[in-house]
Amino acid sequence: MTQHNRAKFQPSGKIQFGIFFQGVNSGTIWKAPESGSQTDFESFRRIAQTAERGLFAAFFLGEGLRLREHLGRPHALDVAGRPDAQTMLAALASVTSNIGLVATQNTTYNDPADLAHRLASLDLLSGGRAAWNVVTTDNAWTGANFRRGGYLDHADRYVHAEAFVETAKRIWDSWEDGAVSSSVTADSWAGPGHARRVHHSGQHYSVDVTPRLPRSAQYRPVLFQAGDSPEGRDFAARQADVIFSAHPKFDDAVEFRADIVSRSLAAGRGANDVQIMPASEFILAATYEEAREKKEWVRSLQIGPQQAVAYLEQFWGRELSAYDPDGPLPEIDPVVEETSETRGSGFHGAKARQLAEQWRAEAKEKGLSIRQFVSSRTSRVDSTFTGSYAAVADTLAEYARVGAVDGFNISPWLIPTGLDDIVNHLVPELQERGVYPTEYVGSTLRENLGLATPVRSEPLVPVQL
Amino acid sequence: MSGNSRPGRPGFLALELDGDGAHPAAWRKARHAPDELLNGARIRSTVLAAESAGFQVATFADGPVSSGRDVAGRLNALQRAAFAGPVTSSIVLVPEVDTVYTEPFHVSTQLASLDYVSGGRAGWLVAASGSTEEAAAVGRSFAEGAALAQEAAASVEVSRRLWDSWEDGAVIRDVATGRYLDVDKLHYVDFETPSDFAGPGYSVKGPSIIPRPLQGQLPVVAQAGLLPSDADVVLVSAPTTSLLAAEVAEVRRAIAGGGAVVGGGAVDRIGPAVVAELDVVLDSRGQSASARLAELDAFTPWSSSRARFVGTAAELAGFLAGLLAVADGVRLHPAVLDVELEELAQLVLPELRRRGALKPFAQGGTFRELLGLERPLSRYASPGSEN
């Protein structure tokens, strides 16, 4: 590709799907009879194999490092509890063959050499299908479960994350291609200097390691990143292959794309080098009317009366069970927390009073009850595609045509059957429109996403072992 | 029962599946090219071969590959075990997992997850190898000696508490009250390292992020002496085969002297299960074991702290039958996996089964069941709360 082409964004004309299996959340319905276990392997196998049947590019797992709390105790109302991402993905690697396996992993509570090794391991085990969704945390609340604790300043977290990611890339790139012999009559298992020692000494880490794995079929794990602040976007533009964005609405997506393209170019990368896959929810049926009805049903199961009150309690910082979920928002003020820790929820103490006032005014103006208001807050209006299979396919085809996004990360509201209608009905509609793959392009995630082979992160300097 | 001999009781066999075998030059006699070692297909084929041969346990070594070996690569052991989970149905999967340079919260969650993906067939081979290389990789100061044992004990204690931190039945999915969890069945573990802790002290809050493992507690496997009061399975080594049975009896006596009765009425063993460690080189395809060993040693000499059996399949069957009369199990370290496993599968295990020395094959059984351990109640549960 010429330099000229690299500087100009070109829509691929295709939409890819990923599935985001959420282990701790209020979006997954557990009250319906057809909702399955969130921890049994069969749930994961069933949904991963369905996604693969639908030619999904990737299977994502979130990460939990501390159980969410509500009013000082573990939160009782929503789905909670999930397996370790990489352990689960290693198991899924043996029962799938093409789908990418994406582990959300935190840079703050891991060591670079250890995490890079485990991701490289997953990458080899899966034949080049591993990816890392890079996340950062800076709070001591989560740190209470780790030896590293809450040692990181908020301002430092991207500096810290970037040093981590760069070290990981050097570890993944440390073996020359073809370092391990491919002949049964070879004289040595690997050539001399097959691994280069990786040394990093910085503010947060000291790493001195001789990596013990060769490169995979896709060279190194694909990197996903979800940061949305200016610093987060710049970090992603410099380091990531795919951004797991929060901008699925068309105009917003187009604007986000333009911003990422300019940041990628500024970082010295090509205009198409960073792909975008927003998180989304699909509520589909044969007709629009049926889909609307289904949406009502989904919402009623996601936000029951107890969930609605508890949602407000998170922000009010106090018990509100005396309030009628079908009545107006509480007139009493939130308890303002001394601490600014996030407690695993959206709560921010200092802004609580202001927020409560704002919400009361909004609910009053629109005539909404607690339940209706909370439903409107949490229904992910911007990230939900509701409609007939054909109409949603038309909408997605338009995204593909202009290159607003490269695909969507679907959060199914039902486990493990939540992708069935998408795979059985939406995917064929998209294929008919020529905007969705009809087969896996290759066996690696990098090939299936259409990503270029990564450039080696540093020159080869063999060391004597 | 005396606890130091169990005539007639069948035992189990474990197989270490690392690389191409325990001999540092094993890769030269493997039936594949070097670059076919580090992938899923290799794990699938070896673990399935071990399962169909009748091995009840597969173990997976981990850590940096030591400088005395020819092979310079190794996939993460816990992930290899997890990969093997869905493709096997009876063999127990026991990865080696470090306790010193890893985060206990992560280790606990990973092992609990392995129990889920294997249907309750997971165990934990506790490592506290303490190499300077592992310390340098994570930028920590090097721990050794008593400090290592303290790190291992702390890490195991954190995991055990976290596994219990969700009582059984904590996920209630009660539609009427809208509660997914019974919060009374979740517990903070509030672990703190002891004041005399040699390494950097730490604390872990809890509860776990994953519900209680299928087995409640995964069986913990450790080399004799590493976890004096907290292992479910103790691995015993001796310098020679002739000393191995006596060493097993000695370790069992030592444990029983200070140990507690394990389990309820169904179990009459005193203390943890005792498993003998054995390197194995067998005659194969017309070549004697000693000739095979000499050929391999000419490439790279094999030094090992384990007893080594070098001989015919029939002799090994006789030796193992005797050893299984004193040990609860034997872990075999084959010189060359592709070669020894074939002999073991065709000649040794069938003979041991004929003699009644091996426990019967248990489809869908858990590791605890294999060990005769009951599924324990969470330490945080109040008596009678199992209902």
Side-chain angles (χ1 to χ4, degrees), chain A residues 9 158 225-237 240-264 271 274-279 399 402-407:
Chain A
F9 173 72
Y158 280 115
Q225 216 274 327
D228 202 25
S229 65
E231 297 79 17
R233 292 183 187 198
D234 277 336
F235 170 53
D241 298 303
V242 187
I243 296 181
F244 186 6
S245 89
H247 303 279
K249 222 176 169 179
F250 189 82
D251 295 346
D252 201 15
V254 169
E255 197 178 305
F256 185 76
R257 164 72 79 186
D259 183 57
I260 293 302
V261 166
S262 74
R263 287 177 201 263
S264 302
V274 183
Q275 300 193 349
I276 299 171
M277 289 178 81
Y399 278 77
V402 303
V405 298
D406 295 284

Side-chain angles (χ1 to χ4, degrees), chain A residues 298-320:
Chain A
V298 169
R299 295 292 178 248
S300 71
L301 287 174
Q302 284 170 329
I303 307 293
Q306 300 92 349
Q307 278 82 10
V309 172
Y311 181 84
L312 293 190
E313 287 175 340
Q314 288 180 57
F315 294 88
W316 259 254
R318 65 202 298 172
E319 227 222 314
L320 300 171

Side-chain angles (χ1 to χ4, degrees), chain A residues 24 29-32 35-41 45 63-69 72-88 90-96 105-106 109-114 117-127 143-149 175 180-190 194 197 205-214 306-307 465, chain B residues 20 27-28 30-41 43-44 62-65 70-80 82-87 99-106 109-111 113-114 116-118 133-140 151 155 162 166 171-184 186-188 197 200-211 214:
Chain A
V24 172
I29 291 172
W30 54 265
K31 295 173 191 167
S35 53
S37 166
Q38 290 286 127
T39 39
D40 284 356
F41 183 68
R45 184 210 298 265
E63 183 188 47
L65 299 176
R66 183 146 176 206
L67 218 53
R68 285 185 305 168
E69 285 185 4
R73 302 187 76 195
H75 189 39
L77 300 180
D78 297 335
V79 163
R82 57 172 137 206
D84 171 67
Q86 287 201 61
T87 309
M88 178 54 71
L92 288 173
S94 70
V95 294
T96 56
Q105 302 272 272
N106 202 298
Y109 306 109
N110 279 293
D111 286 300
D114 178 53
H117 173 67
R118 285 188 290 119
L119 286 163
S121 191
L122 181 65
D123 205 15
L124 286 164
L125 270 175
S126 61
N145 282 331
F146 296 93
R147 293 196 247 214
R148 281 184 174 277
W175 288 44
V180 183
S181 174
S182 58
S183 160
V184 274
T185 57
D187 284 339
S188 61
W189 189 80
H194 56 271
R197 201 164 172 143
Y205 325 98
S206 165
V207 176
D208 185 1
V209 63
T210 303
R212 53 181 186 267
L213 288 175
Q306 300 92 349
Q307 278 82 10
L465 292 178
Chain B
D20 284 319
W27 67 274
R28 294 177 186 276
R31 292 173 189 148
H32 64 87
D35 67 354
E36 287 166 31
L37 174 64
L38 303 173
N39 60 47
I43 290 156
R44 190 191 306 263
D62 206 357
V65 186
D70 296 1
V71 173
R74 180 183 271 154
L75 297 164
N76 175 267
L78 202 139
Q79 288 185 18
R80 281 184 280 154
F83 183 91
V87 300
T99 50
V100 183
Y101 302 112
T102 47
E103 284 288 346
F105 191 87
H106 287 321
T109 312
Q110 288 161 9
L111 286 162
S113 304
L114 178 63
Y116 278 97
V117 304
S118 65
E133 196 183 337
E134 282 166 282
V138 300
R140 282 217 9 223
E151 291 266 9
S155 179
L162 287 169
W166 291 53
V171 176
I172 51 170
R173 293 173 169 246
D174 186 54
V175 175
T177 61
R179 290 182 309 148
Y180 184 85
L181 300 175
D182 176 354
V183 176
D184 291 337
L186 295 179
H187 305 273
Y188 294 103
F197 198 67
Y202 63 90
S203 58
V204 174
K205 181 78 184 166
S208 179
I209 197 71
I210 180 171
L214 298 178

Side-chain angles (χ1 to χ4, degrees), chain B residues 41 47 123 133 175 206 270 284 291 358:
Chain B
V47 77
E133 196 183 337
V175 175
I270 304 295
S284 169
L358 285 186

Side-chain angles (χ1 to χ4, degrees), chain B residues 1 10 17 29 34 57 62 88 90 103 125 155 182 184 187 235 238 240 249 303 310 314 332 352-353 364 369:
Chain B
M1 184 160 182
L17 287 177
K29 296 295 173 186
V57 178
D62 206 357
T88 52
S90 68
E103 284 288 346
L125 175 45
S155 179
D182 176 354
D184 291 337
H187 305 273
L235 298 173
T240 66
S303 73
V310 183
L332 302 182
L352 288 171
R353 273 193 293 269
E369 285 164 7

